[in-house]
Amino acid sequence: HKRVMADALAINQAALQIQQLQLEARRIEELRLMEFVKARAEREDAHEAERLKEQKAKDLEVARLRALQEQAQDKMAERHALEARCQQDELERQWRRKGEERVRAEVGAQQEL
């Protein structure tokens, strides 16, 4: 009877040990899974941060190029305005010259009479 009890106790202890080992193995597996998920989330976060950094750099470059383009357009508009002003001044000088020549011609014609 003692031997049966001892065997039963040994079996129970072995079963408890197996249960504890299984629980420990499950716990370790859960920890590994949590580490894997954490590492994947960190990689994804790093990838997203890099993507955002690249997008920001691209946006800044586009803004810089737009500013340069606007400056070039402003300079060209100023140049065109200056050319138009010069042309207008030249037309006014020609008009005055022709007017003066007409007046001189008329004065000369009157003096001949």
Side-chain angles (χ1 to χ4, degrees):
H1 181 69
K2 284 184 180 181
R3 177 149 169 89
V4 174
M5 289 293 285
D7 287 344
L9 184 61
I11 291 172
N12 282 340
Q13 287 178 344
L16 281 174
Q17 252 184 334
I18 290 172
Q19 250 182 348
Q20 288 175 344
L21 289 173
Q22 288 174 339
L23 285 173
E24 183 65 16
R26 212 174 299 138
R27 190 181 68 76
I28 290 171
E29 186 60 30
E30 287 175 2
L31 287 174
R32 284 184 185 159
L33 180 61
M34 286 171 43
E35 284 297 317
F36 172 79
V37 169
K38 179 182 174 186
R40 184 176 65 188
E42 288 173 354
R43 284 192 308 272
E44 289 173 355
D45 289 347
H47 177 71
E48 180 65 12
E50 183 64 26
R51 188 190 69 74
L52 290 173
K53 179 181 171 185
E54 290 172 2
Q55 183 64 44
K56 183 178 179 179
K58 182 181 175 182
D59 291 346
L60 288 173
E61 181 64 11
V62 168
R64 186 185 71 81
L65 292 174
R66 280 189 183 141
L68 287 176
Q69 185 178 18
E70 288 175 9
Q71 288 175 355
Q73 288 173 343
D74 290 347
K75 286 182 181 181
M76 189 167 287
E78 288 175 15
R79 194 174 305 127
H80 287 161
L82 181 61
E83 290 172 1
R85 202 171 324 127
C86 289
Q87 288 175 353
Q88 182 64 32
D89 290 347
E90 180 61 27
L91 288 174
E92 288 176 4
R93 281 192 293 276
Q94 289 175 4
W95 183 79
R96 281 194 300 271
R97 196 176 316 121
K98 287 180 183 178
E100 289 172 2
E101 289 172 2
R102 224 174 313 147
V103 168
R104 284 188 196 128
E106 288 175 7
V107 168
Q110 288 179 357
Q111 287 177 353
E112 289 179 9
L113 294 177

